[in-house]
Amino acid sequence: MKVESVRGMRDILPEETPLWQKLEAEIRAAFALYGYREIRVPLVERVELFSRGVGEETEVVDKQMYVFPDRKGLPLALRPEATASVVRAYVEHGLHAKGDLAKLYYLGAMFRYEKPQLGRQRQFHQYGVEAIGSLDPALDAEVMDLAWHLMERLALRREGLLLRLNSIGCRDDRPVYREALQGYFAARVGDLCPECRRRLETNPLRILDCKEEGCRALARSAPRSVDHLCPGCRQHFADVQAHLADLGLAHEFDPTLVRGLDYYTRTVFELCSRDLGAQDALLGGGRYDDLVELLGGPPTPAVGFAGGMERLVIVLSAQQGAEGASAPALDLYLVPIGDDARREGAKLLAAVRRSGLSVDTDYMGRSLRKAMQVAGRTARYAAILGPDELARGEIKLKNLATGEEKAVRLPQFAADPHTLIR
RNA sequence: GGGAGCGUAGCUCAGUUGGCAGAGCACCACGCUGUGGCCGUGGCGGUCGCGGGUUCAAGUCCCGUCGCUCCUCCCA
């Protein structure tokens, strides 16, 4: 019986890794331009970090989290997202004591137990930023500008993207809005699914993104969060929009946007692709002004976003598909003829590699012709070493693009291959 | 969560009313004994996703199961 990969967990093969590496490099470069520094947090956390931080009632924690006890029975979880971990680290290491805005970014695997499909895996990869320590609406706008800038770097067309924006208010607004929702849904409780009847008491906000058709119909004309903002939050939201306008960032106000995680406050946003089908959200984020305090730190406002790498890979590979085959990866391919040449060639390889040239040779016992074929598609130069060359103390160098071939002294080539290969 | 489609060679896929499992690409050998890209000839390669059922006979029909994909929804 063949052992296969676990459902929703896929291999990224060498054909695809260059694209991932390019993507990671662009993400790091963009984040660095905006003053963010990388933080690496564990893949495994205590369950309570997410049940408290993200919210017991959220779909991510309630239905999608990988939970298991360790050998001593401690309840652990594979992280379904990274913000809670970053904030935990921020509090745990007293980063707030530096009295400055902490700008942190991360890149890595997340785990959610969902039905896998294109652009949605059980192990997936997110990149994200967290700016912890300021309530300035200009910072909200800067974070969204960073999101846009990243997309520009990846050469995604601006017209193909859509920034959706909403405000869900602060912790003082929440009870008011919650009551409004409860009042609205309670009057129509007969049309709610059993799950949502429970949510009516525990977390009525979640009814807004229930999947049942009946609940969704009700949600469409439910009270809007923006109509229940305190003066401060209303001003904050107006300022954010003004700053976005200053930066020339188009956006669309979407009163139904609530986001799936409980820690969000005030600003919430999503950047969507217009040419991606069902899984169109490229990244999403917003403010989480109470999370630091909730996880044991001092009251500290924060804003950030997270995006999915798989979805960018889809968009990018569709866009780059026409670019064709990549250039040969190797500088040189050694083609040995006979056992003596193989032995002598192994020494040569070690020397040439240490000079900084990438070289490979045949270990499959291939014929000269087959080895030349491999050289032709993997390298810029072929080096032919056989009994004749060995007897003369030479090696034949062939430029595989031009077909030009010349014999060079073996010791000279081993000592200084760079001048002969360019 | 709801709906639909598809699983046949390493890859992309044919396979008719149930009747000998195929092609192209890739790989290997030879033509061309030590020189790649082009061409030709031959070869290697299969529990037809898995398990059951119907049948003289199942890749094909039926049931189950696992996986993949798409739509809806949600999200990254």
Side-chain angles (χ1 to χ4, degrees):
Chain A
M1 179 71 185
K2 186 162 56 173
V3 179
E4 294 177 333
S5 64
V6 172
R7 180 175 163 116
M9 317 234 169
R10 62 168 42 172
D11 304 304
I12 301 170
L13 298 176
E15 285 67 33
E16 227 185 334
T17 48
L19 187 54
W20 282 79
Q21 288 168 354
K22 172 182 156 44
L23 187 54
E24 286 162 9
E26 291 295 342
I27 289 167
R28 289 175 192 282
F31 289 174
L33 282 181
Y34 283 70
Y36 288 82
R37 296 198 299 160
E38 186 181 7
I39 182 170
R40 301 193 183 194
V41 292
L43 271 67
V44 176
E45 297 274 3
R46 292 168 188 262
V47 167
E48 65 175 316
L49 174 66
F50 301 113
S51 52
R52 268 170 53 199
V54 175
E56 193 77 69
E57 282 296 314
T58 60
E59 180 144 333
V60 165
V61 168
D62 187 37
K63 300 207 180 90
Q64 301 179 344
M65 201 155 63
Y66 280 89
V67 177
F68 58 97
D70 77 359
R71 287 175 178 272
K72 286 187 176 172
L74 186 68
L76 300 179
L78 297 182
R79 62 182 188 190
E81 61 107 50
T83 299
S85 297
V86 171
V87 170
R88 194 220 78 237
Y90 174 90
V91 172
E92 188 167 331
H93 297 97
L95 268 49
H96 51 81
K98 298 188 173 174
D100 199 5
L101 180 65
K103 284 182 147 185
L104 306 169
Y105 83 84
Y106 60 83
L107 219 57
M110 308 292 158
F111 302 85
R112 291 184 196 174
Y113 195 90
E114 295 191 84
K115 204 161 136 186
Q117 53 189 274
L118 186 66
R120 183 198 285 171
Q121 298 295 315
R122 288 183 175 176
Q123 175 177 331
F124 62 107
H125 299 81
Q126 282 192 332
Y127 55 89
V129 297
E130 315 292 355
I132 309 173
S134 169
L135 188 53
D136 191 340
L139 184 59
D140 301 45
E142 190 198 78
V143 162
M144 286 181 254
D145 183 54
L146 169 51
W148 274 107
H149 172 63
L150 178 59
M151 298 305 140
E152 286 161 8
R153 277 182 159 267
L154 299 173
L156 298 192
R157 297 173 309 108
R158 224 169 224 246
E159 314 80 63
L161 298 171
L162 173 65
L163 178 63
R164 296 161 66 214
L165 184 68
N166 191 21
S167 175
I168 57 172
C170 64
R171 100 177 99 177
D172 295 332
D173 301 337
R174 216 44 97 67
V176 183
Y177 181 47
R178 187 189 157 104
E179 235 170 82
L181 281 178
Q182 273 174 332
Y184 172 81
F185 285 119
R188 299 156 179 84
V189 69
D191 296 332
L192 289 177
C193 69
E195 181 83 346
C196 283
R197 283 177 207 167
R198 194 172 56 79
R199 287 176 175 142
L200 192 53
E201 288 311 311
T202 56
N203 194 344
L205 215 66
R206 290 266 70 81
I207 301 176
L208 293 177
D209 50 33
C210 178
K211 290 160 187 169
E212 296 293 327
E213 189 47 53
C215 304
R216 287 175 45 223
L218 286 184
R220 273 191 277 274
S221 36
R224 311 190 311 173
S225 58
V226 280
D227 297 326
H228 298 78
L229 299 181
C230 65
C233 285
R234 207 175 306 138
Q235 185 61 49
H236 183 92
F237 192 42
D239 289 346
V240 169
Q241 288 175 288
H243 282 115
L244 287 178
D246 289 348
L247 293 170
L249 298 180
H251 64 274
E252 190 171 278
F253 169 58
D254 181 352
T256 67
L257 181 66
V258 288
R259 310 279 311 145
L261 314 177
D262 282 354
Y263 54 60
Y264 284 112
T265 54
R266 298 191 175 90
T267 314
V268 293
F269 63 91
E270 278 181 13
L271 191 59
C272 302
S273 165
R274 293 181 200 269
D275 6 75
L276 210 51
Q279 274 69 49
D280 67 339
L282 291 174
L283 59 87
R287 286 209 152 267
Y288 43 98
D289 296 322
D290 303 324
L291 186 58
V292 175
E293 189 176 4
L294 183 70
L295 295 178
T300 309
V303 59
F305 69 75
M309 308 239 302
E310 277 78 0
R311 284 178 201 181
L312 286 181
V313 167
I314 293 168
V315 176
L316 290 180
S317 56
Q319 163 187 299
Q320 298 186 344
E323 277 182 23
S326 52
L330 292 172
D331 296 315
L332 180 71
Y333 192 88
L334 176 70
V335 179
I337 306 163
D339 290 343
D340 290 345
R342 284 180 189 273
R343 250 193 315 279
E344 200 57 38
K347 289 193 282 180
L348 184 64
L349 285 185
V352 173
R353 284 166 175 157
R354 280 164 178 72
S355 80
L357 290 175
S358 57
V359 204
D360 208 351
T361 189
D362 172 61
Y363 290 105
M364 303 298 285
R366 280 188 238 265
S367 66
L368 171 65
R369 181 152 40 137
K370 294 308 289 185
M372 282 303 293
Q373 263 179 32
V374 174
R377 67 167 180 267
T378 60
R380 293 162 46 231
Y381 281 83
I384 299 144
L385 190 61
D388 299 350
E389 287 79 7
L390 279 178
R392 286 195 293 270
E394 293 179 342
I395 189 165
K396 275 189 188 141
L397 259 180
K398 182 166 187 173
N399 182 326
L400 291 164
T402 65
E404 178 194 359
E405 184 175 300
K406 63 185 170 189
V408 300
R409 302 293 305 165
L410 200 43
Q412 183 198 343
F413 180 64
D416 185 19
H418 278 276
T419 56
L420 297 160
I421 291 180
R422 230 171 325 115

